[in-house]
Amino acid sequence: MVKTQPAAVMRRQIRRVTSAGIEINDDFLAVEEPLEIRVAFRQNGNATWQNISVTMRTPGNDHELAAGFLFTEGIIHDLRQIKKVENSVFEENLVLVTLADSCEPNLHNAERNFYTTSSCGVCGKGSIEAVKTVSRYVLENTMVVTHEELFGLAGKISGSQRVFEETGGLHAAALFDQNGNLLHLREDVGRHNALDKLIGAAFLSNQLPLAGNILLLSGRASFELIQKALMAGIEMVVSIGAPSSLAVQLAEDNNITLAGFLKKDRFNVYTGFHRISGL
């Protein structure tokens, strides 16, 4: 029997307290469920498999999340390395990625303490070296945008964040072209999962690298998110929240334009000023 995908939103009865009194109402919550990512491959001619990660995520786009995670973690690097991605028919919340017979995954980049939270993907790493991944792409200077184009980005995702609008509890990662047209958007309770879903969708569609596009993050810009953007060949990252010091350093070292504190009439630019006209 094929099991249905868990819902991304659940209803719960609450008591809303205001200065006028107490009301009993229904509220909507963003669902948080564990997802186990398992890889099947051949090693020394023998079929084997390994659990790679359990991450807390919002159900939906799980195949993209698994593929994006394997790619941005450097465990695989080419779409041809994947034979198939499927949900387990025996276990809920488990995605199995079967690799091509000739592919042996780079499991040195899977040094995690197995469980990662929805708020942090790096903090489950087993060593400092395991945090680092190396991109296949060299970022060029292929795009220039105006500051007016960036002003309008946040407003363009508001109508596309379906689950956020119901719950107020999700992060979003959105991809725009350099003219400010929304191309893709993914949501998740974990900011790193939202970006893995977005990059995974591009990876499974053989659209990498994502040069010439703008990545918008609904929250802050952390080191891990800039690293994932670098793995996908993204030249410009704009966040509605603040960047961290290490995120700025990583962006500067790798020729990424990084802007933060985006509002409808202002933003700060930390690195890569040459990609925004007039700076």
Side-chain angles (χ1 to χ4, degrees):
M1 182 178 68
V2 177
K3 297 181 179 180
T4 59
Q5 177 77 26
V9 178
M10 67 176 295
R11 184 194 302 265
R12 184 175 180 87
Q13 190 178 87
I14 64 167
R15 286 166 173 80
R16 180 169 289 123
V17 181
T18 70
S19 58
I22 299 173
E23 301 174 349
I24 297 178
N25 288 305
D26 285 339
D27 196 16
F28 294 93
L29 304 176
V31 172
E32 184 177 31
E33 295 267 351
L35 179 71
E36 181 177 332
I37 300 172
R38 184 178 296 173
V39 171
F41 58 99
R42 299 192 71 83
Q43 188 174 50
N44 300 322
N46 299 315
T48 188
W49 57 269
Q50 180 164 327
N51 293 324
I52 299 298
S53 177
V54 172
T55 184
M56 301 303 294
R57 96 316 186 184
T58 300
N61 307 109
D62 287 343
H63 291 188
E64 296 172 356
L65 172 56
F69 177 86
L70 295 178
F71 174 78
T72 60
E73 292 292 321
I75 296 169
I76 60 174
H77 62 267
D78 192 293
L79 180 59
R80 292 170 293 184
Q81 293 178 291
I82 294 181
K83 181 182 291 185
K84 61 182 176 179
V85 184
E86 58 190 336
N87 293 87
S88 171
V89 297
F90 304 107
E91 300 179 53
E92 292 185 4
N93 292 319
L94 189 153
V95 169
L96 176 65
V97 181
T98 302
L99 301 183
D101 291 345
S102 60
C103 173
E104 188 166 323
N106 182 8
L107 297 179
H108 295 295
N109 285 352
E111 296 176 11
R112 289 182 177 268
N113 292 330
F114 195 61
Y115 169 76
T116 63
T117 69
S118 56
S119 60
C120 180
V122 164
C123 52
K125 290 287 191 174
S127 69
I128 291 175
E129 285 304 311
V131 169
K132 301 174 183 177
T133 52
V134 179
S135 177
R136 303 176 66 203
Y137 308 118
V138 176
L139 302 190
E140 305 293 344
N141 302 314
T142 62
M143 61 185 298
V144 177
V145 302
T146 67
H147 59 275
E148 289 89 356
E149 287 169 343
L150 297 184
F151 287 157
L153 295 186
K156 292 178 180 178
I157 69 171
S158 58
S160 300
Q161 289 185 261
R162 180 186 63 81
V163 179
F164 176 83
E165 289 172 2
E166 292 186 73
T167 68
L170 290 189
H171 293 281
L175 192 70
F176 294 84
D177 66 22
Q178 62 187 63
N179 295 316
N181 298 309
L182 178 62
L183 302 176
H184 302 289
L185 182 144
R186 294 293 184 269
E187 295 180 286
D188 199 274
V189 71
R191 60 175 62 89
H192 54 96
N193 289 337
L195 185 50
D196 274 339
K197 288 179 179 181
L198 185 74
I199 294 173
F203 180 67
L204 291 174
S205 301
N206 204 24
Q207 295 176 345
L208 296 181
L210 294 174
N213 294 305
I214 305 165
L215 172 65
L216 177 66
L217 304 173
S218 65
R220 64 184 180 88
S222 64
F223 167 84
E224 182 179 25
L225 298 183
I226 300 303
Q227 182 170 256
K228 289 179 182 294
L230 174 63
M231 291 294 287
I234 295 172
E235 299 173 61
M236 183 176 293
V237 180
V238 181
S239 65
I240 293 176
S244 70
S245 62
L246 199 56
V248 171
Q249 187 63 57
L250 182 65
E252 184 172 61
D253 290 346
N254 291 278
N255 191 27
I256 293 175
T257 297
L258 176 58
F261 293 107
L262 176 67
K263 300 184 183 302
K264 62 181 180 180
D265 60 352
R266 70 191 70 177
F267 56 84
N268 297 339
V269 186
Y270 297 86
T271 62
F273 309 109
H274 55 283
R275 293 194 181 92
I276 302 175
S277 61
L279 297 188

Short mmCIF file of all heavy atoms in Angstrom, two decimals, residues 135 137-145 175-179 183 202 207-215 229-236 255-256 275:
data_model
loop_
_atom_site.label_atom_id
_atom_site.label_comp_id
_atom_site.label_asym_id
_atom_site.label_seq_id
_atom_site.Cartn_x
_atom_site.Cartn_y
_atom_site.Cartn_z
N SER A 135 32.93 23.79 -4.13
CA SER A 135 32.05 23.94 -5.29
C SER A 135 32.78 23.56 -6.57
O SER A 135 33.99 23.77 -6.72
CB SER A 135 31.56 25.39 -5.39
OG SER A 135 30.77 25.56 -6.55
N TYR A 137 31.93 25.00 -9.31
CA TYR A 137 31.73 26.15 -10.18
C TYR A 137 32.58 27.34 -9.74
O TYR A 137 32.70 27.63 -8.54
CB TYR A 137 30.25 26.57 -10.19
CG TYR A 137 29.32 25.42 -10.49
CD1 TYR A 137 28.37 25.00 -9.56
CD2 TYR A 137 29.41 24.72 -11.70
CE1 TYR A 137 27.53 23.94 -9.84
CE2 TYR A 137 28.57 23.65 -11.97
CZ TYR A 137 27.63 23.26 -11.04
OH TYR A 137 26.80 22.21 -11.30
N VAL A 138 33.15 28.04 -10.71
CA VAL A 138 33.85 29.29 -10.46
C VAL A 138 32.89 30.42 -10.81
O VAL A 138 32.37 30.48 -11.93
CB VAL A 138 35.13 29.40 -11.32
CG1 VAL A 138 35.79 30.75 -11.11
CG2 VAL A 138 36.09 28.27 -10.97
N LEU A 139 32.61 31.28 -9.85
CA LEU A 139 31.63 32.33 -10.07
C LEU A 139 32.23 33.45 -10.91
O LEU A 139 33.28 34.00 -10.58
CB LEU A 139 31.13 32.89 -8.74
CG LEU A 139 30.49 31.87 -7.79
CD1 LEU A 139 29.82 32.59 -6.63
CD2 LEU A 139 29.48 31.00 -8.51
N GLU A 140 31.56 33.77 -12.00
CA GLU A 140 31.98 34.85 -12.88
C GLU A 140 31.19 36.11 -12.54
O GLU A 140 30.37 36.13 -11.63
CB GLU A 140 31.76 34.45 -14.34
CG GLU A 140 32.42 33.13 -14.73
CD GLU A 140 33.94 33.20 -14.71
OE1 GLU A 140 34.49 34.32 -14.70
OE2 GLU A 140 34.57 32.13 -14.71
N ASN A 141 31.44 37.16 -13.29
CA ASN A 141 30.71 38.41 -13.11
C ASN A 141 29.74 38.58 -14.27
O ASN A 141 29.90 39.44 -15.13
CB ASN A 141 31.69 39.59 -13.03
CG ASN A 141 32.68 39.41 -11.89
OD1 ASN A 141 32.31 39.06 -10.79
ND2 ASN A 141 33.96 39.64 -12.17
N THR A 142 28.72 37.73 -14.31
CA THR A 142 27.84 37.66 -15.47
C THR A 142 26.58 38.48 -15.33
O THR A 142 25.75 38.49 -16.23
CB THR A 142 27.42 36.19 -15.73
OG1 THR A 142 26.69 35.71 -14.60
CG2 THR A 142 28.64 35.31 -15.96
N MET A 143 26.40 39.17 -14.20
CA MET A 143 25.14 39.88 -14.00
C MET A 143 25.37 41.22 -13.30
O MET A 143 26.29 41.38 -12.51
CB MET A 143 24.17 39.04 -13.17
CG MET A 143 24.67 38.70 -11.79
SD MET A 143 23.58 37.57 -10.87
CE MET A 143 22.09 38.53 -10.75
N VAL A 144 24.50 42.16 -13.64
CA VAL A 144 24.44 43.45 -12.94
C VAL A 144 22.97 43.79 -12.79
O VAL A 144 22.20 43.71 -13.76
CB VAL A 144 25.17 44.57 -13.73
CG1 VAL A 144 25.00 45.90 -12.99
CG2 VAL A 144 26.64 44.26 -13.89
N VAL A 145 22.55 44.15 -11.58
CA VAL A 145 21.16 44.52 -11.34
C VAL A 145 21.11 45.92 -10.74
O VAL A 145 22.10 46.42 -10.21
CB VAL A 145 20.46 43.51 -10.40
CG1 VAL A 145 20.53 42.11 -10.97
CG2 VAL A 145 21.08 43.55 -9.00
N LEU A 175 14.22 31.95 -5.92
CA LEU A 175 15.18 32.21 -6.98
C LEU A 175 14.54 33.15 -8.01
O LEU A 175 13.44 32.90 -8.49
CB LEU A 175 15.60 30.92 -7.67
CG LEU A 175 16.80 31.01 -8.61
CD1 LEU A 175 18.08 31.23 -7.82
CD2 LEU A 175 16.92 29.73 -9.46
N PHE A 176 15.26 34.24 -8.32
CA PHE A 176 14.82 35.21 -9.30
C PHE A 176 15.85 35.29 -10.43
O PHE A 176 17.04 35.05 -10.21
CB PHE A 176 14.71 36.60 -8.67
CG PHE A 176 13.64 36.73 -7.63
CD1 PHE A 176 13.88 36.37 -6.31
CD2 PHE A 176 12.39 37.23 -7.95
CE1 PHE A 176 12.90 36.49 -5.34
CE2 PHE A 176 11.40 37.36 -7.00
CZ PHE A 176 11.66 36.99 -5.69
N ASP A 177 15.39 35.67 -11.62
CA ASP A 177 16.36 36.02 -12.66
C ASP A 177 16.83 37.44 -12.42
O ASP A 177 16.35 38.14 -11.52
CB ASP A 177 15.78 35.81 -14.06
CG ASP A 177 14.63 36.75 -14.41
OD1 ASP A 177 14.50 37.83 -13.77
OD2 ASP A 177 13.86 36.43 -15.33
N GLN A 178 17.79 37.91 -13.21
CA GLN A 178 18.38 39.21 -12.94
C GLN A 178 17.45 40.37 -13.28
O GLN A 178 17.76 41.53 -12.98
CB GLN A 178 19.71 39.36 -13.67
CG GLN A 178 19.65 39.29 -15.17
CD GLN A 178 21.05 39.27 -15.76
OE1 GLN A 178 21.82 38.35 -15.52
NE2 GLN A 178 21.39 40.29 -16.51
N ASN A 179 16.29 40.08 -13.88
CA ASN A 179 15.28 41.10 -14.12
C ASN A 179 14.23 41.13 -13.02
O ASN A 179 13.24 41.86 -13.11
CB ASN A 179 14.59 40.87 -15.47
CG ASN A 179 15.55 41.03 -16.63
OD1 ASN A 179 16.35 41.96 -16.67
ND2 ASN A 179 15.50 40.10 -17.57
N LEU A 183 11.37 32.75 -10.28
CA LEU A 183 11.49 31.49 -11.00
C LEU A 183 11.02 30.30 -10.17
O LEU A 183 10.25 29.48 -10.64
CB LEU A 183 12.95 31.27 -11.42
CG LEU A 183 13.58 32.37 -12.29
CD1 LEU A 183 15.06 32.07 -12.53
CD2 LEU A 183 12.82 32.53 -13.59
N ALA A 202 16.51 22.34 -8.95
CA ALA A 202 17.37 22.70 -10.09
C ALA A 202 18.29 21.55 -10.46
O ALA A 202 18.51 21.28 -11.65
CB ALA A 202 18.18 23.95 -9.74
N GLN A 207 19.62 21.93 -14.17
CA GLN A 207 19.69 23.37 -14.42
C GLN A 207 20.87 24.04 -13.73
O GLN A 207 21.00 25.25 -13.78
CB GLN A 207 18.39 24.03 -13.96
CG GLN A 207 17.17 23.60 -14.76
CD GLN A 207 15.89 24.22 -14.21
OE1 GLN A 207 15.85 24.74 -13.10
NE2 GLN A 207 14.83 24.16 -15.00
N LEU A 208 21.72 23.27 -13.08
CA LEU A 208 22.88 23.86 -12.44
C LEU A 208 23.99 24.08 -13.46
O LEU A 208 24.11 23.34 -14.41
CB LEU A 208 23.39 22.94 -11.32
CG LEU A 208 22.44 22.72 -10.16
CD1 LEU A 208 23.09 21.80 -9.12
CD2 LEU A 208 22.02 24.01 -9.50
N PRO A 209 24.83 25.12 -13.26
CA PRO A 209 24.83 26.08 -12.16
C PRO A 209 23.75 27.15 -12.33
O PRO A 209 23.27 27.37 -13.45
CB PRO A 209 26.23 26.70 -12.24
CG PRO A 209 26.56 26.64 -13.70
CD PRO A 209 25.96 25.34 -14.19
N LEU A 210 23.43 27.82 -11.24
CA LEU A 210 22.39 28.85 -11.26
C LEU A 210 23.00 30.24 -11.41
O LEU A 210 22.57 31.20 -10.76
CB LEU A 210 21.56 28.76 -9.97
CG LEU A 210 20.74 27.48 -9.83
CD1 LEU A 210 20.07 27.41 -8.47
CD2 LEU A 210 19.71 27.37 -10.95
N ALA A 211 24.01 30.35 -12.26
CA ALA A 211 24.65 31.64 -12.53
C ALA A 211 23.64 32.59 -13.16
O ALA A 211 22.74 32.18 -13.89
CB ALA A 211 25.85 31.44 -13.46
N GLY A 212 23.79 33.87 -12.85
CA GLY A 212 22.90 34.87 -13.43
C GLY A 212 21.58 35.01 -12.71
O GLY A 212 20.68 35.71 -13.18
N ASN A 213 21.44 34.35 -11.56
CA ASN A 213 20.20 34.42 -10.79
C ASN A 213 20.45 35.00 -9.40
O ASN A 213 21.58 35.06 -8.93
CB ASN A 213 19.58 33.02 -10.65
CG ASN A 213 19.12 32.46 -11.98
OD1 ASN A 213 18.34 33.09 -12.68
ND2 ASN A 213 19.62 31.28 -12.33
N ILE A 214 19.36 35.43 -8.77
CA ILE A 214 19.41 36.02 -7.43
C ILE A 214 18.71 35.08 -6.46
O ILE A 214 17.58 34.65 -6.71
CB ILE A 214 18.71 37.39 -7.41
CG1 ILE A 214 19.30 38.33 -8.47
CG2 ILE A 214 18.81 38.03 -6.02
CD1 ILE A 214 18.44 39.55 -8.74
N LEU A 215 19.36 34.76 -5.35
CA LEU A 215 18.75 33.97 -4.30
C LEU A 215 18.26 34.90 -3.21
O LEU A 215 19.03 35.70 -2.67
CB LEU A 215 19.76 32.98 -3.72
CG LEU A 215 19.32 32.22 -2.47
CD1 LEU A 215 18.14 31.30 -2.78
CD2 LEU A 215 20.47 31.42 -1.88
N ALA A 229 24.64 28.07 -1.49
CA ALA A 229 24.51 28.92 -2.69
C ALA A 229 25.75 28.79 -3.56
O ALA A 229 25.66 28.70 -4.79
CB ALA A 229 24.29 30.37 -2.28
N LEU A 230 26.92 28.79 -2.93
CA LEU A 230 28.18 28.64 -3.66
C LEU A 230 28.23 27.30 -4.38
O LEU A 230 28.64 27.22 -5.54
CB LEU A 230 29.35 28.75 -2.68
CG LEU A 230 30.75 28.48 -3.23
CD1 LEU A 230 31.11 29.49 -4.31
CD2 LEU A 230 31.78 28.50 -2.10
N MET A 231 27.78 26.23 -3.73
CA MET A 231 27.78 24.91 -4.36
C MET A 231 26.93 24.89 -5.62
O MET A 231 27.21 24.16 -6.58
CB MET A 231 27.27 23.87 -3.38
CG MET A 231 28.21 23.58 -2.22
SD MET A 231 29.76 22.80 -2.73
CE MET A 231 29.20 21.14 -3.13
N ALA A 232 25.87 25.72 -5.65
CA ALA A 232 24.96 25.76 -6.80
C ALA A 232 25.36 26.81 -7.84
O ALA A 232 24.66 26.96 -8.84
CB ALA A 232 23.53 26.04 -6.33
N GLY A 233 26.46 27.53 -7.61
CA GLY A 233 26.92 28.52 -8.57
C GLY A 233 26.11 29.80 -8.57
O GLY A 233 26.07 30.51 -9.58
N ILE A 234 25.50 30.14 -7.44
CA ILE A 234 24.70 31.37 -7.33
C ILE A 234 25.62 32.55 -7.04
O ILE A 234 26.43 32.52 -6.13
CB ILE A 234 23.64 31.22 -6.23
CG1 ILE A 234 22.63 30.12 -6.62
CG2 ILE A 234 22.93 32.54 -5.97
CD1 ILE A 234 21.67 29.75 -5.51
N GLU A 235 25.45 33.62 -7.83
CA GLU A 235 26.34 34.78 -7.72
C GLU A 235 25.87 35.83 -6.73
O GLU A 235 26.68 36.61 -6.22
CB GLU A 235 26.49 35.46 -9.09
CG GLU A 235 27.07 34.58 -10.17
CD GLU A 235 27.01 35.27 -11.52
OE1 GLU A 235 27.63 36.34 -11.66
OE2 GLU A 235 26.32 34.77 -12.42
N MET A 236 24.57 35.90 -6.48
CA MET A 236 24.02 36.98 -5.65
C MET A 236 23.03 36.41 -4.65
O MET A 236 22.10 35.70 -5.02
CB MET A 236 23.34 38.05 -6.52
CG MET A 236 22.80 39.23 -5.72
SD MET A 236 22.09 40.54 -6.76
CE MET A 236 23.58 41.12 -7.60
N ASN A 255 33.63 35.52 -4.28
CA ASN A 255 33.07 36.42 -5.30
C ASN A 255 31.54 36.34 -5.38
O ASN A 255 30.94 36.37 -6.44
CB ASN A 255 33.68 36.12 -6.68
CG ASN A 255 33.34 37.18 -7.72
OD1 ASN A 255 33.11 38.35 -7.38
ND2 ASN A 255 33.29 36.79 -8.98
N ILE A 256 30.90 36.23 -4.21
CA ILE A 256 29.43 36.26 -4.13
C ILE A 256 29.01 37.66 -3.68
O ILE A 256 29.58 38.21 -2.74
CB ILE A 256 28.90 35.21 -3.15
CG1 ILE A 256 29.16 33.80 -3.67
CG2 ILE A 256 27.41 35.40 -2.88
CD1 ILE A 256 28.78 32.70 -2.70
N ARG A 275 28.18 43.98 -8.76
CA ARG A 275 27.01 43.41 -9.42
C ARG A 275 25.75 44.26 -9.24
O ARG A 275 24.69 43.93 -9.76
CB ARG A 275 26.74 41.99 -8.95
CG ARG A 275 27.81 40.99 -9.36
CD ARG A 275 27.34 39.56 -9.16
NE ARG A 275 28.36 38.60 -9.53
CZ ARG A 275 29.26 38.09 -8.68
NH1 ARG A 275 29.25 38.48 -7.41
NH2 ARG A 275 30.17 37.23 -9.10
#
